[in-house]
Amino acid sequence: MGCGAAGYGAVRGPPGPRGGEAGASQRAGLQREVPSNCIKTSKYNIITFLPVNLFEQFQEVANTYFLFLLILQLIPQISSLSWFTTIVPLVLVLTITAVKDATDDYFRHKSDNQVNNRQSQVLISGVLRQEQWMNVRVGDIIKLENNQFVAADLLLLSSSEPHGLCYIETAELDGETNMKVRQAIPVTSELGDTSKLAQFDGEVICEPPNNKLDKFGGTLYWKENKYPLSNQNMLLRGCVLRNTEWCFGLVIFAGPDTKLMQNSGRTKFKRTSIDRLMNTLVLWIFGFLVCMGVILAIGNAIWEHEVGVCFQIYLPWDEGVHSAFFSGFLSFWSYIIILNTVVPISLYVSVEVIRLGHSYFINWDKKMYCAKRRTPAEARTTTLNEELGQVEYIFSDKTGTLTQNIMVFSKCSVNARSYGDVQDMLGHKAELGERPEPVDFSFNPLADPRFQFWDPSLLEAIKLGDPHVHEFFRLLSLCHTVMSEEKSEGELYYKAQSPDEGALVTAARNFGFVFRSRTPKTITVHELGRAITYQLLAILDFNNIRKRMSVIVRSPEGKIRLYCKGADTILLERLHPINQDLTNVTTDHLNEYAGEGLRTLVLAYKDLEESYYEEWSERLHRASSAHEAREDRLAQLYDEVEHDMMLLGATAIEDKLQQGVPETIAILTLANIKIWVLTGDKQETAVNIGYSCKMLTDDMTEVFVITGHTVLEVREELRKAREKMMDASRSMSNGFSYQEKLSSSKLTSVLEAIAGEYALVINGHSLAHALEADMEVEFLETACACKAVICCRVTPLQKAQVVELVKKYKKAVTLAIGDGANDVSMIKTAHIGVGISGQEGIQAVLASDYSFSQFKFLQRLLLVHGRWSYLRMCKFLCYFFYKNFAFTMVHFWFGFFCGFSAQTVYDQYFITLYNIVYTSLPVLAMGVFDQDVPEQRSMEYPKLYEPGQLNLLFNKREFFICIAQGIYTSVLMFFIPYGVFADATRDDGAQLADYQSFAVTVATSLVIVVSVQIGLDTGFWTAINHFFIWGSLAAYFAILFAMHSDGLFQMFPNQFRFVGNAQNTLAQPTVWLTIALTTVVCIMPVVAFRFLKLDLKPELSDTVRYTQLVRKKQKTQHRCMRRAGRVGSRRSGYAFSHQEGFGELIMSGKNMRLSSLALSSFTARPSTGWIETLRKKKGSDSSTAGSPSSAASKALKV
């Protein structure tokens, strides 16, 4: 694609063999290479894998450190250990990591190939040919058919629908399943066949590739004219063509330039807080290692100068050593090699193995498997499991994540009576589990079988001819912008621009007021089986300022009536005063519906005089034709006619939440996790869902709404919110001071310790100002003081910025969860990204670290898997550092007794096998299987999650305690045998003290002590734990006796010189008494400390375990909780996801097929049988059971 003068790209259509030519325009001497449509998310290929992977691995400080040690061990003058003690574990680590990376990249290659090899129809030399997606180029014209994915970002040229319209589903991009409309520009909409398209030679100058999903700017130059292009003319990669037989499009952006891939962003390498702490600790340990090396080197230089010089005759210095100082220098490097086991490379191998095990537990968890979608949970990374146990902030998308984006007509209020509450035989409100069979609509041949309603009294009112109920449903069947399609007799398909409208029109359809068809000037409705055609005089379209829409229709009798539906806050003020009593009752119903989290609309009507309408219509026509202030003049006329209306009632729609969302949010909140909702939806919809899922409650002290349009307005609103919180907190504290909450973050505010519960709702335009550098801290301070935060109308970039802001200042672990391409940047920015799988969209899953099909599984992922992973990793690290300091520091003490000669206490085989064989498996078993409390208790007691958030189980303090215990153990491990051996004798009277016997005794004591210690640390015993612990002890003795056997000596006389030493040493009672004494002295203080801590200051997990033991034989008592009635102040439940512009589209007739303009095809269809059936069934409905095919009502048929 050639670059234009302002960085714009140029795309030229046919002629050409492939129908298009890219980069034909090169202005200002600038040129940009056009990418192919091939996408690549993999990192390696066969040639680059080895060098690139090794380069990446040696960027790890630990791997470079061990490579450095290996090089030192190859120098004979300073090496006191064989090179294989380091190279074997180093190669093992590099190999395991390389295999894991290769496996991950293989699946990325597989996914890329699957997408790149999809087929598409490309116009080549005037003929449509099948081409793989990877071969599609910028400038190609491609044909899409119904239900096909869009291969690249296309300019819509023409379609099978009238006026170049087409319908798309954007679930892959934004997680929304409702259809959206796109339209070709008029000049290309007639290019419906390949011969005309082959002659299309227009040129598109457009903006450079970017990640803005809702914006596009460009110009089409064709036939010496230019035509502006917008997002309404574009089909983006990842969309699916729906309800449109075919369409043609010109490829504008391909491959990595498409908006879908631009939103994917660059994958960031994520590290856990424990990893970062480990890097710090490794540096500290290395510093400690250097200090020990310096001390021992100085000791060697002094000893050689004072004592060693006297023994030069039979203890000469090595070749090349000419002074005590140089001997000390060489000794320093020798001790660095010997003491390096304080951080063995096996630590990193073990960490990777444990994380892999935790990942498999997530993948295998049947309780996180969705049978309906056949989708298991998946850990897409193995490096972040323990971070799941430390999450403090969750950032969630709304549509498709918290909700199913399915609207269900739930309740309504008509003429001061509420319908929708199910009642039992005594007339009382039935409980949730006591629902009878749904209302039977089987007598209605045009009913949607998926629609369900449980209150039969509403249908009774229809049958009894209640005029108010009839008018209520007549309004719902007329006041909308839904399109109807009837492919076969009686089988209606509604194309609704929003799921809200689809739900309302479907409800009217089932209750007997069936919207059948429309033309630009008429609407045909079947009212209780009778076809009636209304003349459509005007549509007063919906927008976010009006918050209402109206239609003006003329009935067959000639009566002109305005029907209006909209927000209660808007419509209730526009009613005629005569409605006051009805308004009061309806308002109570609205309060009740809003308290249940339902989305409400108020319905009203107004009769218009013919003369007034004619005069008003003339003014409307003039305003529509005005060139200046057109929108303002239209709004004024709309406002004039929508006054003094008569109230009909209200509707309550349930925006169906994902199963278990309110319970999950409640439990996560109890675990001290703050949940922020970041959504592209408008404020009313997001707030409504906030109440539905119990993030917002009427018991909250206050919900702050930030809607400022300027920096000053936003700053002032935030300041007022903070002042209110502070004032309320002072009044509640009654004059007593309250402590400021301690926080590890930079931002520590007294606001975080305030009394009362608050919530913050902020719009996208306000958020843009709040995220500016000089205001971001104020915004974060205010938001963090609130229990819930909802950000509405936010862009994908703003989602990522909010997450980055919390990461920057709070230093807390963040988790982002979403299901669409607009969530990808947020998912990649957060410490942990979770994708909702099983929907149409997969972009969020591909970018995520973990995926599952329902939001409710987040509770189990964090409170069970996350908490256990953090607990296990912390216990593993504490024990690992302890056992290695206990093992290594013995060499340090021995240095003072061996002339600082870098002689090891243990033989080199024990040093090699200690971390690989003798102590590796028990600690792995604990790191993989350990539990403090069962999974049920983890869910029942969310407060158990808090230690991870506060990082209590492994931090610098715990690290120093571990190494202090290790050093204490090493002191006893060395000096107790040393003291005993000084005067001990064998059974035959010979001196017991020799180097090899001492080495065997210390080594045996060490293996037994660390085995007993891990037995004390293990909280959950399995057969594997028993096998590994006792098996490792057995393996130690088996290998020990084998290495001192005659057989190995005869095969390798230079390697295994000390034949029978182990057998002779361990045959002495004195040695076993020494080992027993060492074990008891090392372990008893630990046992005593833990006993006292458990008795005097138990942790919550200790209390839970004790409670579990006490109640083990008691039956679980279930508490039945009745739903509490709503109390509190008046709150609007209005939410309507409709968009502006459809009214004008319908009135223009652009989205009408020619065949639908002939009304006779519909009005001539009598349905007299239906009304007769209804009359016959009257009175027998209670005994007739309905059998709808699905329990989940859907608003649309697609």
Side-chain angles (χ1 to χ4, degrees), residues 185 270 360 412 490 493 535 578 597 614 629 745 912 942 977 1022 1116 1130:
I185 58 175
K270 297 181 179 180
Y360 277 115
C412 64
Y493 289 84
Q535 185 180 351
I578 200 173
E614 292 295 340
S745 65
T912 303
T1022 66
T1116 306
R1130 166 90 176 94

Side-chain angles (χ1 to χ4, degrees), residues 490-510:
E491 191 174 355
L492 289 172
Y493 289 84
Y494 287 156
K495 298 177 183 177
Q497 190 268 331
S498 70
D500 306 67
E501 281 217 318
L504 294 174
V505 177
T506 301
R509 168 184 174 178
N510 276 55

Side-chain angles (χ1 to χ4, degrees), residues 643-822:
H643 263 97
D644 293 332
M645 294 184 288
M646 303 299 293
L647 179 62
L648 267 177
T651 62
I653 294 177
E654 179 186 359
D655 186 357
K656 289 186 74 71
L657 294 172
Q658 298 269 2
Q659 188 181 2
V661 166
E663 296 83 357
T664 300
I665 288 178
I667 289 176
L668 293 178
T669 303
L670 289 175
N672 201 33
I673 297 174
K674 293 187 176 181
I675 301 175
W676 294 20
V677 174
L678 311 179
T679 177
D681 267 2
K682 59 184 182 179
Q683 179 183 315
E684 295 88 355
T685 308
V687 169
N688 188 275
I689 290 299
Y691 281 98
S692 296
C693 62
K694 303 299 184 284
M695 273 184 65
L696 306 178
T697 65
D698 293 308
D699 297 328
M700 282 184 160
T701 311
E702 188 161 353
V703 177
F704 300 110
V705 180
I706 310 297
T707 57
H709 287 269
T710 66
V711 175
L712 293 176
E713 288 176 359
V714 174
R715 192 187 299 275
E716 181 64 18
E717 289 176 356
L718 290 173
R719 184 187 63 79
K720 287 181 179 178
R722 289 196 301 276
E723 285 180 356
K724 282 187 179 180
M725 287 189 279
M726 293 293 291
D727 292 343
S729 191
R730 289 192 194 101
S731 62
M732 292 177 73
S733 63
N734 296 321
F736 293 100
S737 63
Y738 52 91
Q739 292 186 342
E740 187 175 317
K741 181 183 175 182
L742 297 177
S743 173
S744 59
S745 65
K746 291 181 182 177
L747 183 70
T748 303
S749 168
V750 71
L751 279 173
E752 294 190 48
I754 61 167
E757 291 185 349
Y758 298 89
L760 181 73
V761 179
I762 184 167
N763 270 311
H765 53 77
S766 304
L767 185 63
H769 297 304
L771 291 175
E772 291 179 2
D774 60 339
M775 207 193 303
E776 60 182 14
V777 175
E778 293 179 51
F779 165 65
L780 184 65
E781 196 173 16
T782 309
C784 289
C786 297
K787 182 182 176 183
V789 177
I790 298 177
C791 302
C792 321
R793 290 291 188 197
V794 293
T795 64
L797 179 62
Q798 284 179 324
K799 290 185 178 185
Q801 287 174 332
V802 171
V803 176
E804 190 62 50
L805 181 64
V806 174
K807 285 174 64 179
K808 179 180 177 181
Y809 288 104
K810 299 302 295 181
K811 300 299 181 186
V813 177
T814 58
L815 181 147
I817 179 169
D819 71 323
N822 58 342

